[in-house]
Structures are given as structure tokens and as C-alpha cells.
Amino acid sequence: MHTPTPIDDAAAIGELAAENPARIRLFERLRLDYCCGGGSSLSDACRRRGLDLAVVRAGIEAIDDVGGASPGPAPERDWRQAGLAEFCEHVVAVHHGYLRRELPRISELLATVVRVHGADCLDFEILERAFASLRGVLEEHIEEEEEAVFPSCVALERGEAAELSGATIEKHREEHEAVGTKLAALRILAGDYELSQALCSTHGALLQALLGLEGDLHKHIHEENNVLLPRASELIATTLAPTVALESNARL
């Protein structure tokens, strides 16, 4: 019988998600912030959500136990073990591709819902403006990643010169935090994505699309915040270390 490794209550929740991506489904169900708040310990994350730590820990261990069983579905990829070039290709193909497909579709669904129901419910127009703001931020963000951040990360891993600094990484994290805030606002404005409250089939499709967007963005941000950016920070530190040593020696 497979015996799961005991879960450390002080472990960062983002690291727990990175260790076994199968845990992400549970974190989403419990609405535990493993992406923007991935640096928080499991105990702190549970306390903020008012969840019983022992119960959540048991749930994680149950997932790990199933993951060790055979036969079963193939485990999700542990992206900490991949090279940065492959990782960045994954993010562009899976998460950026998802956004490029879904953002226009959600805009169209919103436009239809506003046209049909907007006169009776002004909240839909507010939701449409909030989504347009999120879409604008996301489209600009992924372009910057593909044109500058990702190529620089790959170059650093190859030992090549690249224009990437700790300040740039911090800016990226702050942009992720802003996206997380906008996502939370969308959920509130959309009535917590409660499908039983849908006014028509299009409204129902909109709620499902927004819920799917939230889930994919959580995973997207988690993979960057808790896998890519820490590795990029380490590479920057490694690159700067010889320069700092040379400057120190020159002063002696």
C-alpha cells in the first residue's frame, strides 16, 4: 500500500501545488489561494478561509495516496523538472493559447447578455467593463512575456546575456497580483458564478466561461509565480555573483 508523505503545515501552498499539481483541483474547490498567495503557509491559507487545517491536510494526503496507486490517469507534469525553454513553450501553448481563444469569446457572450438583459440589470454593464479591463491587462501582459520575459529566462539558463532584473520579476509578480484582484471582483460581480441564477442559456454559458477562465488563470499564475520566477531569480543571482566578486576584488 502506498503511504503518502506527511504534509508540513508550514509548507508554502504554492510549493505544495508545484510538488503535485493534482492537488490544485482541491485548492480550487476550497478556494485556497495557491497562485498569487502561493508564498503563504498551508496553515495560514486555511485560517484565512476558515477551513479546518487537519481536514484539508487529510484531503491532500488522500490525493497523494491515489496518485501513488496504479492503474490510474497519468500524473500531471511537475514543471519544476523541465528546462525553462520547454516550460515557457508550455505556458505559451496552453495558457496563452487559452486566453487568445477565450477572451474574445467571453467578450462576445457578455455583449449578447448586455444587449438582451442590460436594460433590466445594470450589473451586466458593470461586469462587461470590469472584464474589458481584465482583458486589456492580460493581453498586454502575455505580449510582454513572449517578447521579453520568456526569451530572457531561456537565455539566462543557457548562460547568455539577457536584460532581466529582480525589479522586472517583482513587476511581473505585481501584475499577477492585479490580475488576481480583478478576477476576484469579476466573481463578485457575476454572482459567484452560480449557474442556477442564469437568466438564459447565453448567460449560463458566460458564467461557465468566466469560471473556466478563473481556474486556468489561477494555474497559469501559479506556474509562473511558484516555478518560473523563482528559477529566474536564482539565475539572475548566479549571473550577478561573478560581477560582484570582480568589483569587490578590484577595490581591494
Side-chain angles (χ1 to χ4, degrees):
M1 179 179 177
H2 174 73
T3 302
T5 302
I7 301 301
D8 182 357
D9 298 342
I13 191 168
E15 184 62 25
L16 291 173
E19 284 177 355
N20 182 1
R23 298 167 177 168
I24 288 175
R25 185 175 299 177
L26 175 65
F27 295 161
E28 284 286 341
R29 188 180 307 130
L30 299 177
R31 293 174 65 181
L32 287 167
D33 184 4
Y34 62 94
C35 49
C36 294
S40 298
S41 67
L42 176 64
S43 59
D44 285 346
C46 288
R47 187 179 68 253
R48 282 196 292 270
R49 291 285 299 132
L51 299 171
D52 187 316
L53 175 60
V55 172
V56 175
R57 188 194 312 117
I60 296 172
E61 291 173 350
I63 290 170
D64 292 350
D65 191 23
V66 171
S70 181
E76 294 189 57
R77 178 74 178 273
D78 182 349
W79 288 104
R80 297 174 304 169
Q81 309 303 320
L84 289 187
E86 183 185 7
F87 178 85
C88 291
E89 288 172 2
H90 154 74
V91 171
V92 171
V94 175
H95 298 301
H96 291 189
Y98 181 91
L99 290 174
R100 289 188 168 108
R101 290 191 307 274
E102 286 297 292
L103 292 177
R105 186 174 79 91
I106 293 173
S107 290
E108 292 177 3
L109 289 170
L110 265 166
T112 300
V113 169
V114 169
R115 185 176 68 253
V116 175
H117 302 290
D120 300 320
C121 183
L122 294 178
D123 287 350
F124 289 132
E125 292 188 9
I126 298 172
L127 178 63
E128 185 177 37
R129 289 198 295 273
F131 176 76
S133 175
L134 173 64
R135 178 179 178 179
V137 168
L138 286 171
E139 289 176 336
E140 181 177 344
H141 186 77
I142 65 175
E143 287 298 326
E144 180 184 4
E145 285 184 339
E146 293 177 16
E147 293 176 6
V149 177
F150 289 179
S152 293
C153 289
V154 173
L156 282 172
E157 188 175 55
R158 291 173 178 167
E160 302 169 358
E163 293 185 2
L164 189 66
S165 66
T168 301
I169 290 177
E170 183 59 30
K171 173 178 175 289
H172 222 59
R173 288 187 182 277
E174 290 172 356
E175 289 175 358
H176 288 165
E177 185 73 29
V179 168
T181 300
K182 289 178 181 295
L183 275 177
L186 277 183
R187 176 178 274 273
I188 293 170
L189 292 170
D192 212 30
Y193 303 138
E194 181 53 63
L195 289 175
S196 64
Q197 302 301 312
L199 300 179
C200 64
S201 60
T202 302
H203 186 200
L206 170 65
L207 295 177
Q208 288 180 312
L210 287 171
L211 182 60
L213 176 69
E214 179 187 77
D216 191 79
L217 276 170
H218 283 168
K219 195 169 183 179
H220 179 175
I221 293 171
H222 152 67
E223 289 178 355
E224 293 189 9
N225 273 10
N226 301 316
V227 180
L228 176 66
L229 299 184
R231 287 176 63 182
S233 295
E234 291 175 2
L235 289 169
I236 290 171
T238 301
T239 301
L240 290 177
T243 301
V244 172
L246 286 173
E247 291 176 349
S248 177
N249 289 335
R251 289 194 296 268
L252 294 177

